[in-house]
Amino acid sequence: MKIALESSSLFFKNYTGIPFYIHNLYNALKEIDNVDPHLAFRLKAKFKKKTSFQKNILNNKHLWHLNNFAIGSSKFDVAHSLHTPFLNLSYSLKVATVHDLAVHLPQFKEYEFATPYFQKKRMALFKEFSKKADVIITVSESTKQDFLSFFDFPEDRIHTIPLAPSLKVNQEITNNDIILKELNVFPKEYFISLGGVSLRKNTLNLIKGFALSKASSEKKLVITGKIESNQYVSVLEYIKEKRLEEKVLITGYLSSDSLSKLYQNAAAFLFPTFYEGFGIPILEAMLTKLPVLTSNIGAAPETAGGHAILINPYEPDDIATGMDSLSSITDDQLEQAKKFADTFTWEKTALETKRVYEKYM
């Protein structure tokens, strides 16, 4: 089975959930007998300056495409669009993965998660999926229902295939890690939150909840990930107003190794996001046996599978109450959460994806 995986998102400046999905799915498909995956890239990316990591990507089997024409390549059995653009190769089964529709959901209209240009561009992509794809894959049932609320697509041709953890974390706790020294934090004396400073990740309400919690008297809050400049000002103003400069630590992007060290030494994982299409960090935290706090909306409850404290992300008081209840989670509950997270693997994701291909070929 020869597969073209549209992977232009691997040329993003910063890796987020979607590039990790592409990279992990491709590597897992390669391990399946009689499956021959190729990364497909828009031709214009061929002529752009590339990082060493991006150059290394091109050591894998790949092709360039222009206007849905695969340059110099023979027929593919499957053309799978993993994000954008839609890969409409002739004589191929056309599959498209939908990750989330957050920027289009009416309940978030006032929040303006994205610019009007981005919203228009993304909606055009989803419309193309709905008209030209033979099959749709969604990463959660929540995303599937969101897609059906916008588009008249045969429900029996939409298949939900969960994602899997990407970060590798061991269980050894140590005081000697450089990142802990740099941040002046100690094992089990801080909460960690992944998602950076972002409106969609609900950073301001997270910090408000932390300030209201009893736990803040004993714990610090470490926030890692991308920093959105339009949110950073209000976040810093609040931190200053509440005199939390020594309590709330914003790191920006960290290496996988540093992030792994912060996970394994944290007291709990906080993820009160407004909306997730799936929420891989929830599973990564469970694998590290961290108590997890996350939102009661979007796909987060689905991904957590009953193994997290769910809060109303709109209410800082509720976030604070949730934080203070994290200490009541038992070791047995953490072990059960880890066993649940262990059931999500990229090998399983790839096999389920292959079965979808086979069903419609």
Short mmCIF file of all heavy atoms in Angstrom, two decimals, residues 250-286:
data_model
loop_
_atom_site.label_atom_id
_atom_site.label_comp_id
_atom_site.label_asym_id
_atom_site.label_seq_id
_atom_site.Cartn_x
_atom_site.Cartn_y
_atom_site.Cartn_z
N ILE A 250 7.20 31.84 33.92
CA ILE A 250 6.85 31.63 32.51
C ILE A 250 8.14 31.39 31.74
O ILE A 250 9.02 32.25 31.67
CB ILE A 250 6.09 32.84 31.95
CG1 ILE A 250 4.77 33.03 32.72
CG2 ILE A 250 5.82 32.66 30.46
CD1 ILE A 250 4.03 34.29 32.36
N THR A 251 8.29 30.21 31.16
CA THR A 251 9.57 29.79 30.57
C THR A 251 9.68 29.98 29.07
O THR A 251 10.79 29.98 28.53
CB THR A 251 9.83 28.30 30.86
OG1 THR A 251 8.92 27.50 30.09
CG2 THR A 251 9.65 27.98 32.34
N GLY A 252 8.55 30.09 28.35
CA GLY A 252 8.61 30.01 26.89
C GLY A 252 8.85 28.56 26.48
O GLY A 252 8.65 27.63 27.27
N TYR A 253 9.29 28.37 25.22
CA TYR A 253 9.57 27.01 24.75
C TYR A 253 10.76 26.41 25.48
O TYR A 253 11.74 27.10 25.77
CB TYR A 253 9.86 27.00 23.25
CG TYR A 253 8.62 26.91 22.39
CD1 TYR A 253 8.19 28.00 21.66
CD2 TYR A 253 7.90 25.72 22.31
CE1 TYR A 253 7.04 27.92 20.86
CE2 TYR A 253 6.77 25.62 21.53
CZ TYR A 253 6.35 26.72 20.80
OH TYR A 253 5.23 26.63 20.03
N LEU A 254 10.69 25.10 25.76
CA LEU A 254 11.78 24.37 26.37
C LEU A 254 12.12 23.16 25.52
O LEU A 254 11.28 22.67 24.75
CB LEU A 254 11.39 23.89 27.77
CG LEU A 254 11.17 24.96 28.84
CD1 LEU A 254 10.66 24.31 30.11
CD2 LEU A 254 12.45 25.74 29.13
N SER A 255 13.32 22.66 25.65
CA SER A 255 13.69 21.43 24.96
C SER A 255 12.88 20.27 25.54
O SER A 255 12.37 20.34 26.66
CB SER A 255 15.18 21.14 25.15
OG SER A 255 15.45 20.82 26.50
N SER A 256 12.79 19.20 24.77
CA SER A 256 12.06 18.01 25.25
C SER A 256 12.67 17.46 26.53
O SER A 256 11.95 17.01 27.43
CB SER A 256 12.05 16.92 24.17
OG SER A 256 11.31 17.34 23.04
N ASP A 257 13.99 17.53 26.63
CA ASP A 257 14.66 17.02 27.83
C ASP A 257 14.31 17.86 29.05
O ASP A 257 13.99 17.32 30.12
CB ASP A 257 16.18 17.03 27.61
CG ASP A 257 16.91 16.44 28.81
OD1 ASP A 257 16.69 15.26 29.12
OD2 ASP A 257 17.70 17.18 29.43
N SER A 258 14.34 19.19 28.91
CA SER A 258 14.00 20.07 30.04
C SER A 258 12.54 19.89 30.43
O SER A 258 12.20 19.84 31.62
CB SER A 258 14.26 21.53 29.68
OG SER A 258 15.64 21.77 29.54
N LEU A 259 11.66 19.80 29.43
CA LEU A 259 10.24 19.61 29.71
C LEU A 259 10.01 18.28 30.43
O LEU A 259 9.22 18.20 31.38
CB LEU A 259 9.45 19.66 28.41
CG LEU A 259 7.92 19.67 28.53
CD1 LEU A 259 7.45 20.85 29.37
CD2 LEU A 259 7.28 19.72 27.14
N SER A 260 10.70 17.24 29.99
CA SER A 260 10.59 15.94 30.64
C SER A 260 10.99 16.00 32.10
O SER A 260 10.32 15.45 32.98
CB SER A 260 11.48 14.92 29.90
OG SER A 260 11.50 13.69 30.57
N LYS A 261 12.07 16.73 32.39
CA LYS A 261 12.53 16.87 33.78
C LYS A 261 11.49 17.61 34.62
O LYS A 261 11.25 17.27 35.79
CB LYS A 261 13.86 17.62 33.82
CG LYS A 261 15.03 16.86 33.21
CD LYS A 261 15.37 15.64 34.01
CE LYS A 261 16.72 15.05 33.62
NZ LYS A 261 16.88 14.73 32.22
N LEU A 262 10.87 18.63 34.05
CA LEU A 262 9.85 19.38 34.79
C LEU A 262 8.62 18.52 35.06
O LEU A 262 8.02 18.59 36.14
CB LEU A 262 9.46 20.64 34.02
CG LEU A 262 10.48 21.78 34.05
CD1 LEU A 262 10.04 22.92 33.15
CD2 LEU A 262 10.67 22.29 35.48
N TYR A 263 8.24 17.70 34.10
CA TYR A 263 7.11 16.79 34.30
C TYR A 263 7.40 15.84 35.46
O TYR A 263 6.58 15.68 36.37
CB TYR A 263 6.88 15.95 33.03
CG TYR A 263 5.80 16.45 32.09
CD1 TYR A 263 6.09 17.35 31.07
CD2 TYR A 263 4.50 16.00 32.20
CE1 TYR A 263 5.13 17.78 30.19
CE2 TYR A 263 3.51 16.43 31.32
CZ TYR A 263 3.83 17.32 30.31
OH TYR A 263 2.87 17.74 29.46
N GLN A 264 8.55 15.19 35.41
CA GLN A 264 8.80 14.11 36.37
C GLN A 264 8.95 14.61 37.79
O GLN A 264 8.82 13.83 38.75
CB GLN A 264 10.02 13.30 35.94
CG GLN A 264 11.35 14.00 36.13
CD GLN A 264 12.49 13.26 35.46
OE1 GLN A 264 12.42 12.95 34.28
NE2 GLN A 264 13.55 12.99 36.20
N ASN A 265 9.23 15.91 37.96
CA ASN A 265 9.42 16.46 39.31
C ASN A 265 8.26 17.31 39.80
O ASN A 265 8.30 17.82 40.93
CB ASN A 265 10.71 17.28 39.35
CG ASN A 265 11.96 16.42 39.25
OD1 ASN A 265 12.33 15.74 40.20
ND2 ASN A 265 12.58 16.42 38.08
N ALA A 266 7.23 17.49 38.97
CA ALA A 266 6.10 18.36 39.34
C ALA A 266 5.19 17.69 40.36
O ALA A 266 5.19 16.46 40.53
CB ALA A 266 5.31 18.73 38.10
N ALA A 267 4.38 18.51 41.02
CA ALA A 267 3.38 18.00 41.96
C ALA A 267 2.09 17.64 41.25
O ALA A 267 1.37 16.72 41.66
CB ALA A 267 3.09 19.04 43.04
N ALA A 268 1.78 18.34 40.17
CA ALA A 268 0.55 18.08 39.41
C ALA A 268 0.62 18.82 38.08
O ALA A 268 1.46 19.72 37.88
CB ALA A 268 -0.68 18.52 40.21
N PHE A 269 -0.29 18.46 37.18
CA PHE A 269 -0.35 19.05 35.85
C PHE A 269 -1.66 19.82 35.70
O PHE A 269 -2.74 19.27 35.96
CB PHE A 269 -0.27 17.95 34.80
CG PHE A 269 -0.39 18.45 33.38
CD1 PHE A 269 0.64 19.16 32.78
CD2 PHE A 269 -1.53 18.20 32.64
CE1 PHE A 269 0.54 19.61 31.48
CE2 PHE A 269 -1.64 18.64 31.33
CZ PHE A 269 -0.61 19.35 30.75
N LEU A 270 -1.57 21.08 35.29
CA LEU A 270 -2.75 21.94 35.14
C LEU A 270 -2.97 22.27 33.67
O LEU A 270 -2.08 22.79 33.01
CB LEU A 270 -2.56 23.23 35.94
CG LEU A 270 -2.09 23.09 37.39
CD1 LEU A 270 -1.94 24.46 38.03
CD2 LEU A 270 -3.06 22.22 38.19
N PHE A 271 -4.19 22.04 33.19
CA PHE A 271 -4.49 22.23 31.78
C PHE A 271 -5.94 22.69 31.60
O PHE A 271 -6.76 22.01 31.00
CB PHE A 271 -4.26 20.90 31.04
CG PHE A 271 -4.03 21.02 29.55
CD1 PHE A 271 -3.01 21.81 29.03
CD2 PHE A 271 -4.83 20.29 28.68
CE1 PHE A 271 -2.80 21.88 27.66
CE2 PHE A 271 -4.62 20.36 27.31
CZ PHE A 271 -3.60 21.16 26.80
N PRO A 272 -6.28 23.89 32.15
CA PRO A 272 -7.67 24.37 32.10
C PRO A 272 -8.01 25.06 30.78
O PRO A 272 -8.59 26.14 30.74
CB PRO A 272 -7.71 25.35 33.27
CG PRO A 272 -6.34 25.94 33.28
CD PRO A 272 -5.41 24.81 32.90
N THR A 273 -7.64 24.44 29.68
CA THR A 273 -7.80 24.97 28.33
C THR A 273 -9.27 25.23 28.00
O THR A 273 -10.16 24.53 28.46
CB THR A 273 -7.19 23.99 27.32
OG1 THR A 273 -7.50 24.40 26.00
CG2 THR A 273 -7.73 22.58 27.54
N PHE A 274 -9.52 26.25 27.18
CA PHE A 274 -10.88 26.50 26.73
C PHE A 274 -11.36 25.42 25.76
O PHE A 274 -12.54 25.08 25.74
CB PHE A 274 -10.99 27.86 26.04
CG PHE A 274 -11.18 29.01 26.99
CD1 PHE A 274 -10.34 30.10 26.95
CD2 PHE A 274 -12.19 29.00 27.93
CE1 PHE A 274 -10.51 31.17 27.83
CE2 PHE A 274 -12.39 30.06 28.81
CZ PHE A 274 -11.53 31.15 28.75
N TYR A 275 -10.43 24.89 24.95
CA TYR A 275 -10.86 23.90 23.97
C TYR A 275 -9.67 23.10 23.46
O TYR A 275 -8.63 23.67 23.15
CB TYR A 275 -11.55 24.58 22.78
CG TYR A 275 -12.05 23.61 21.72
CD1 TYR A 275 -13.36 23.18 21.73
CD2 TYR A 275 -11.20 23.13 20.73
CE1 TYR A 275 -13.83 22.28 20.76
CE2 TYR A 275 -11.65 22.23 19.77
CZ TYR A 275 -12.96 21.81 19.79
OH TYR A 275 -13.41 20.92 18.85
N GLU A 276 -9.85 21.78 23.37
CA GLU A 276 -8.86 20.90 22.75
C GLU A 276 -9.56 19.99 21.76
O GLU A 276 -10.67 19.50 22.03
CB GLU A 276 -8.16 20.04 23.80
CG GLU A 276 -7.27 20.81 24.75
CD GLU A 276 -6.13 21.52 24.06
OE1 GLU A 276 -5.42 20.89 23.24
OE2 GLU A 276 -5.95 22.73 24.32
N GLY A 277 -8.90 19.76 20.64
CA GLY A 277 -9.40 18.75 19.71
C GLY A 277 -9.11 17.36 20.21
O GLY A 277 -9.83 16.41 19.93
N PHE A 278 -8.02 17.24 20.98
CA PHE A 278 -7.67 15.97 21.62
C PHE A 278 -7.05 16.23 23.00
O PHE A 278 -7.67 15.97 24.01
CB PHE A 278 -6.71 15.14 20.75
CG PHE A 278 -6.40 13.79 21.35
CD1 PHE A 278 -7.34 12.78 21.29
CD2 PHE A 278 -5.20 13.56 22.00
CE1 PHE A 278 -7.08 11.53 21.87
CE2 PHE A 278 -4.92 12.32 22.57
CZ PHE A 278 -5.86 11.32 22.50
N GLY A 279 -5.82 16.75 23.04
CA GLY A 279 -5.18 17.05 24.33
C GLY A 279 -4.12 16.05 24.72
O GLY A 279 -4.19 15.45 25.81
N ILE A 280 -3.10 15.88 23.88
CA ILE A 280 -2.01 14.94 24.15
C ILE A 280 -1.34 15.18 25.51
O ILE A 280 -1.02 14.21 26.21
CB ILE A 280 -0.96 14.99 23.01
CG1 ILE A 280 -1.54 14.34 21.74
CG2 ILE A 280 0.33 14.29 23.42
CD1 ILE A 280 -0.62 14.43 20.54
N PRO A 281 -1.11 16.44 25.94
CA PRO A 281 -0.43 16.64 27.23
C PRO A 281 -1.13 15.98 28.41
O PRO A 281 -0.48 15.65 29.41
CB PRO A 281 -0.41 18.17 27.37
CG PRO A 281 -0.42 18.67 25.96
CD PRO A 281 -1.32 17.72 25.23
N ILE A 282 -2.43 15.81 28.32
CA ILE A 282 -3.17 15.14 29.40
C ILE A 282 -2.64 13.72 29.60
O ILE A 282 -2.38 13.28 30.73
CB ILE A 282 -4.68 15.12 29.10
CG1 ILE A 282 -5.24 16.54 29.07
CG2 ILE A 282 -5.44 14.25 30.09
CD1 ILE A 282 -6.65 16.64 28.53
N LEU A 283 -2.45 13.00 28.51
CA LEU A 283 -1.95 11.63 28.58
C LEU A 283 -0.49 11.59 29.02
O LEU A 283 -0.09 10.71 29.78
CB LEU A 283 -2.09 10.94 27.22
CG LEU A 283 -3.51 10.77 26.69
CD1 LEU A 283 -3.49 10.11 25.32
CD2 LEU A 283 -4.35 9.93 27.65
N GLU A 284 0.29 12.56 28.54
CA GLU A 284 1.70 12.60 28.93
C GLU A 284 1.85 12.80 30.44
O GLU A 284 2.72 12.19 31.07
CB GLU A 284 2.41 13.71 28.15
CG GLU A 284 2.51 13.40 26.66
CD GLU A 284 3.05 14.54 25.83
OE1 GLU A 284 3.03 15.69 26.30
OE2 GLU A 284 3.48 14.27 24.69
N ALA A 285 1.01 13.64 31.00
CA ALA A 285 1.04 13.85 32.45
C ALA A 285 0.63 12.58 33.19
O ALA A 285 1.22 12.23 34.22
CB ALA A 285 0.12 15.01 32.83
N MET A 286 -0.38 11.88 32.69
CA MET A 286 -0.81 10.64 33.33
C MET A 286 0.29 9.59 33.30
O MET A 286 0.48 8.84 34.27
CB MET A 286 -2.05 10.10 32.62
CG MET A 286 -3.31 10.90 32.88
SD MET A 286 -4.72 10.20 31.98
CE MET A 286 -6.02 11.31 32.51
#
